[in-house]
Structures are given as C-alpha cells and as structure tokens.
C-alpha cells in the first residue's frame, strides 16, 4: 500500500541440487518458509523447485537456505522503499514481526520477538555514526552509502521432526577423575560455537558452583548420550536444556541426602559458592557428593530432553519452537574508477534470547558478519560443464584481515520461556542479513543494483556508468 503496509509476497525458488538431491530439499524448504522475511504479510504464494543437474551435489551452509532467500527479500524491501519514497529502515520497522504476529506458515508468535528492538538500536547507532567521518577506504573518489537488512532464523529442526538430546551429569567427592567436582557429558559437537562453555555454565548455575569446578566431555560416543547433529542453531537450546534438567535432577538428589543428614526440609537447602547451605549448616559440594555415594545412591544422572512439538509445513500451528531475529546496517565505500567495494562499518543487533555467555555470543555475531562479507563480495564456487573451476582456497577468496570493517554489535535479549534460562541460540542468524545490507549500501552509494552474489567490481562499475 502507499503507506508502506505489505499485503502480499509471491516468490519462486529454484535450486541446483546437483546429481543427487542430498540435503537440497531440506535446505530449500527452510529457504521457502523464510521467503517472506521477518515481516507481517497477509498473503503469500511461494513455490520451490530442486533441480537435478550434472553439477556436483550441494550441501548445507550456515543459514541453511535462509541466507539465499533473505538476499532476495531484503533487496526487494529496499526497492519497494525507494519506489514509495520511504526510509528503508522505517518500511521494515512498520512491517516487522511482533508478539502476536502470524508468520507465512501460519504460526502465531506468542513470545520472544525482538526484531523491533534490533531495528531501533541499529537506527540509533547509524544516526550517531553518520555524524562522524567515514573510515578511509583508500580510494581516490569513494562513493559512500548505507544499507539495511533484517532476518529471522528458526531454532531447532522444526517441521514436525523429532528434536531431542541427551546429557549426563556426574558428581565426584574429590574431583579425582576429572580435576573438577562435576562433569557434564553430551555427544554433540563443539565446532567453535562455544557449546562446551555454555554447558559448563548451565551446570555451574544450577549447582551453585564456580565455572572452574565443572568439566565437559563431548562427542565420545562410548561415554556420552546422543545429542543429535550440531545444526539448526539448536545446541544451546536442546542440549542446553538436557544439561539443565540433568543437573536439576542431581541437585534434587543431593538436596535429599543433605536434608537427611541435617534433618531439614530438602527445599530449604541452598546451593551457593560451591557449598550446600541452610541457616545452620554448610558443607562443601564434594562432601555432599561423598554422602550420596556412601548411601549407595548413583552419583550419575542422565536426562533426555524433548523439544516442544512442532508441525509439518501445511498443517498450521507451530512449525518451529523459537526464532532468532536480527537487523544489520552496512556502510560501504565504492571506488568510482574500479567499482571495488570496501565495507567500512557494520552495525548489528541480534536477538538470540538470553545471552548465557555474552562475550561468546558477540563472537558468534562477529564471525557471522565476516562470513556475510565473503558471501557478498568475494566467495564464489565456479562451475563449467559440471566441472569445478574453484579448486583451491586462493581461488575461492575468503575475506582477509584488510577486508574487516568497524563493527558495532548489540545483543537484544528477549528470553523464551522454553529455552535454558531463556536462551534461543544464535548460530546461523548473524550471517544472514549481512550480504543484502552490503548490496543495499552499494545501491545507496552508486545507484547500481546487485542481482547476483558475489557482487563483482567490474559489474558495479559497468552498472554505475
């Protein structure tokens, strides 16, 4: 409408699956269900096709299809805003999903929707930065522009798929086995996203211990319960809940043992600073573990957590049990002579629920931005007649240190009631809006619209001229 209200989206997605479908249909489904962007839209028609070709089979990448559809959605939002003579940021804010909104798949969002807060923080930070000189890009005649993009991404498998994970906790009377008082075990993989730290933090929080008193064992399938794949931004939520509930059970077990020793109600016992305490008693955690073993009770407890039920696409209801939300703005400089693009600043806000480890979460957002810069400007897997032409890292051209912009990042914490201490997870979310934000900034600087990634200098130069 003329006032910027979105009424409908029609989209068609076609993917090159290669010789075997592999994960193509699953990636495509996620791209499709997110193809309207994180916006209130009354009507949607989205068709998708996975095509068999003579190219190599394709697999999963951070964002799992949403990265691709978000590029189209957010580019279109920029085009629409300019046709309306409207601020692209305000168009997004006007139509942003909120608590009570219904997604394109028919899911009503009942809680934990921090998109408007993300947009507002990005808007205010950009206004501050616009009052300051832009960083030097090293170009003789740079053209400077800002671009905005938003994104949302599901947590967990969704779509009716069973989503569960197991965790085991064991307490030690002397810490002899591990050098710690407690060990948490899960078979899930830590790929650098910080799962080890988060599980230790969760156990320490529940049992009133210092972080250093907890060790974590991952991925040894002889010793750890199945945690499912490290995918779908699910580990903090699903394995984190398994660890929380396992340690809750162990806390209850230790409380009963101490209550018997002190002849007090179990609920009166507090777990604080590495001790079990009441008004009149206090013992070190290790002593309580020793009492547990002396009474012949099991010092090990295993719990399997099952995530909230979801529904398959087309059946209505909750297709996912949680979503993360993000807004990003990019400032770029474009060399008038060559079309080369330098990203000067990225302003990013992300809602991944409660940040259990804020520093690690900031690192996740920074890493996602770096990947998004590569997606936007440098990374390309080239094929000719089904034969890969990109065979070495130097041909693929990942971002280098000199490509890094200034970053301003803010964590918007809208807790979800079902996550561990309110966490949703943030694994894939930060890499999704970066590329469209950069390409919208390129248009703002030059008037050249990027329709395919990566954005190539020679094409930008040609379009600008």
């Amino acid at each position: 409408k003329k006032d910027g209200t979105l009424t409908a989206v029609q989209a068609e997605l076609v993917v090159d699956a290669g010789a075997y479908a592999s994960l193509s249909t699953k990636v495509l489904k996620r791209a499709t269900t997110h193809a309207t962007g994180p916006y209130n839209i009354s009507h949607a028609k989205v068709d998708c096709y996975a095509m068999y070709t003579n190219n190599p089979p394709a697999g999963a990448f951070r964002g799992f299809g949403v990265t691709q559809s978000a590029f189209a959605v957010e580019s279109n939002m920029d085009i629409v805003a300019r046709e309306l003579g409207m601020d692209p940021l305000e168009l997004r804010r006007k139509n942003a999903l909120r608590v009570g909104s219904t997604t394109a798949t028919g899911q009503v969002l009942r809680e934990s929707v921090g998109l408007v807060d993300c947009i507002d923080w990005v808007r205010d930070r950009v206004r501050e930065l616009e009052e300051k000189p832009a960083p030097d890009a090293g170009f003789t005649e740079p053209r400077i522009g800002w671009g905005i993009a938003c994104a949302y991404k599901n947590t967990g498998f969704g779509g009716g798929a069973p989503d569960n994970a197991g965790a085991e906790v064991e307490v030690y009377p002397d810490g002899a086995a591990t050098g710690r008082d407690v060990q948490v075990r899960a078979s899930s993989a830590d790929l650098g996203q910080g799962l080890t730290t988060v599980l230790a933090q969760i156990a320490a929080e529940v049992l009133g211990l210092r972080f250093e008193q907890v060790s974590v064992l991952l991925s040894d399938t002889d010793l750890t319960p199945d945690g499912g794949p490290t995918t779908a931004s699910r580990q903090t939520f699903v394995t984190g809940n398994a660890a929380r509930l396992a340690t809750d059970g162990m806390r209850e077990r230790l409380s009963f043992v101490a209550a018997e020793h002190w002849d007090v109600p179990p609920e009166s016992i507090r777990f604080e600073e590495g001790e079990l305490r009441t008004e009149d008693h206090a013992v070190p955690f290790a002593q309580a573990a020793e009492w547990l073993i002396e009474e012949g009770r099991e010092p090990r407890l295993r719990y399997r957590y099952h995530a909230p039920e979801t529904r398959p696409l087309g059946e209505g209801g909750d297709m996912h049990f949680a979503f993360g939300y993000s807004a990003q703005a990019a400032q770029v400089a474009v060399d008038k002579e060559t079309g080369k693009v330098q990203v000067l600043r990225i302003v990013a806000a992300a809602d991944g629920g409660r940040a259990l480890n804020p520093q690690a979460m900031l690192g996740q957002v920074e890493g996602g931005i770096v990947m998004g810069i590569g997606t936007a400007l440098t990374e390309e897997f080239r094929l000719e007649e089904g034969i890969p032409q990109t065979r070495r890292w130097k041909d693929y051209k990942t971002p280098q240190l000199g490509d890094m912009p200034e970053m301003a990042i803010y964590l918007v914490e809208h807790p979800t009631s079902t996550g561990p201490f309110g966490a949703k997870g943030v694994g894939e979310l930060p890499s999704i809006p970066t590329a469209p934000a950069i390409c919208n900034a390129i248009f703002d600087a030059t008037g050249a619209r990027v329709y395919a990634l990566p954005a190539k200098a020679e094409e930008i130069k040609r379009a600008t001229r």
Side-chain angles (χ1 to χ4, degrees):
K1 295 182 177 180
K2 290 181 179 180
D3 67 355
T5 302
L6 295 175
T7 61
V9 165
Q10 182 173 354
E12 185 176 69
L13 296 86
V14 181
V15 304
D16 180 350
Y20 306 95
S22 184
L23 279 174
S24 292
T25 55
K26 292 180 173 62
V27 172
L28 186 56
K29 180 183 289 186
R30 195 64 64 245
T32 301
T33 57
H34 288 65
T36 56
Y39 305 111
N40 266 310
I41 297 173
S42 303
H43 309 282
K45 183 181 188 298
V46 187
D47 297 301
C48 59
Y49 307 91
M51 300 295 194
Y52 288 110
T53 72
N54 290 332
N55 289 327
F61 183 79
R62 188 177 189 175
F64 209 75
V66 184
T67 306
Q68 292 92 316
S69 57
F71 172 64
V73 173
E74 294 301 313
S75 296
N76 276 330
M77 289 292 284
D78 207 59
I79 293 168
V80 168
R82 293 177 187 281
E83 287 290 327
L84 292 170
M86 191 172 182
D87 183 334
L89 188 146
E90 291 305 322
L91 176 66
R92 288 168 169 84
R93 192 184 192 284
K94 179 181 180 67
N95 293 283
L97 291 172
R98 295 165 167 83
V99 172
S101 298
T102 302
T103 69
T105 65
Q107 177 170 345
V108 177
L109 302 174
R110 296 181 291 276
E111 62 170 0
S112 187
V113 187
L115 180 57
V116 171
D117 285 351
C118 289
I119 293 171
D120 287 348
W121 186 85
V122 168
R123 177 195 60 203
D124 294 344
R125 187 73 179 119
V126 168
R127 286 175 178 172
E128 292 175 13
L129 292 173
E130 285 179 331
E131 300 299 319
K132 302 176 181 179
D136 182 18
F139 301 153
T140 305
E141 294 185 68
R143 296 181 175 184
I144 310 294
W146 280 96
I148 179 80
C150 297
Y152 76 137
K153 178 68 177 69
N154 61 288
T155 298
F157 299 144
D163 202 348
N164 57 79
E168 182 177 86
V169 59
E170 184 169 359
V171 298
Y172 300 99
D174 57 4
T178 64
R180 312 287 174 95
D181 291 302
V182 175
Q183 185 172 70
V184 179
R185 304 179 187 123
S187 67
S188 308
D190 190 332
L191 308 175
Q193 81 276 26
L195 178 63
T196 306
T197 305
V198 163
L199 294 183
Q201 287 181 282
I202 289 171
E205 181 72 18
V206 172
L207 297 174
L209 302 172
R210 299 188 316 278
F211 174 80
E212 294 77 17
Q213 291 177 267
V214 181
S215 68
V216 176
L217 175 66
L218 295 181
S219 306
D220 185 332
T221 53
D222 279 341
L223 302 174
T224 60
D226 180 17
T230 297
T231 182
S233 306
R234 63 184 286 276
Q235 284 300 336
T236 292
F237 191 105
V238 183
T239 301
N241 264 329
R244 178 181 63 84
L245 292 163
T247 47
D248 276 344
M250 182 56 70
R251 177 184 171 122
E252 182 179 358
R253 192 175 288 181
L254 291 167
S255 294
F256 275 102
V257 169
E260 290 172 357
H261 272 263
W262 295 331
D263 194 24
V264 298
E267 59 270 16
S268 70
I269 295 173
R270 306 187 307 274
F271 287 68
E272 298 173 342
E273 299 177 356
E275 294 183 337
L276 277 68
R277 297 172 177 172
T278 67
E279 294 302 321
D280 302 315
H281 305 88
V283 297
F285 184 89
Q287 178 63 63
E290 188 173 332
W291 289 345
L292 188 76
I293 295 170
E294 286 174 353
E295 293 193 8
R297 303 196 187 191
E298 182 63 51
R300 181 185 305 172
L301 190 149
R302 182 172 287 197
Y303 190 95
R304 176 154 292 278
Y305 169 75
H306 294 267
E309 184 181 1
T310 58
R311 306 299 301 166
L313 180 62
E315 292 190 7
D318 291 354
M319 189 170 178
H320 298 288
F321 51 77
F323 293 92
Y325 302 86
S326 179
Q328 291 184 15
Q331 184 186 42
V332 304
V334 183
D335 189 336
K336 182 179 178 181
E337 293 301 316
T338 66
K340 178 177 170 55
V341 177
Q342 179 70 39
V343 183
L344 304 177
R345 295 180 173 123
I346 296 283
V347 177
D351 167 29
R354 184 175 179 190
L356 302 187
N357 188 321
Q359 198 63 36
M361 195 166 170
L362 287 170
Q364 282 283 77
V365 177
E366 289 177 355
I369 289 169
V370 173
M371 291 185 74
I373 291 171
T375 300
L377 300 177
T378 62
E379 299 179 27
E380 183 178 22
F381 183 69
R382 294 182 299 107
L383 294 162
E384 291 182 10
E385 301 294 325
I387 299 172
Q389 303 301 305
T390 307
R391 304 180 187 182
R392 293 168 291 188
W393 279 115
K394 76 179 187 68
D395 300 325
Y396 188 65
K397 298 180 181 177
T398 53
Q400 304 297 307
L401 187 61
D403 300 318
M404 295 303 102
E406 295 179 7
M407 297 186 194
I409 300 170
Y410 179 67
L411 303 181
V412 173
E413 297 183 72
H414 279 236
T416 181
S417 60
T418 51
F421 302 104
K424 293 188 286 191
V426 76
E428 296 162 283
L429 176 68
S431 64
I432 295 170
T434 310
I438 290 170
C439 292
N440 289 338
I442 292 170
F443 182 87
D444 187 55
T446 67
R449 175 63 61 188
V450 176
Y451 293 99
L453 299 176
K456 298 179 179 178
E458 57 272 21
E459 294 177 4
I460 293 171
K461 177 182 176 181
R462 185 164 53 249
T464 301
R465 289 186 171 180

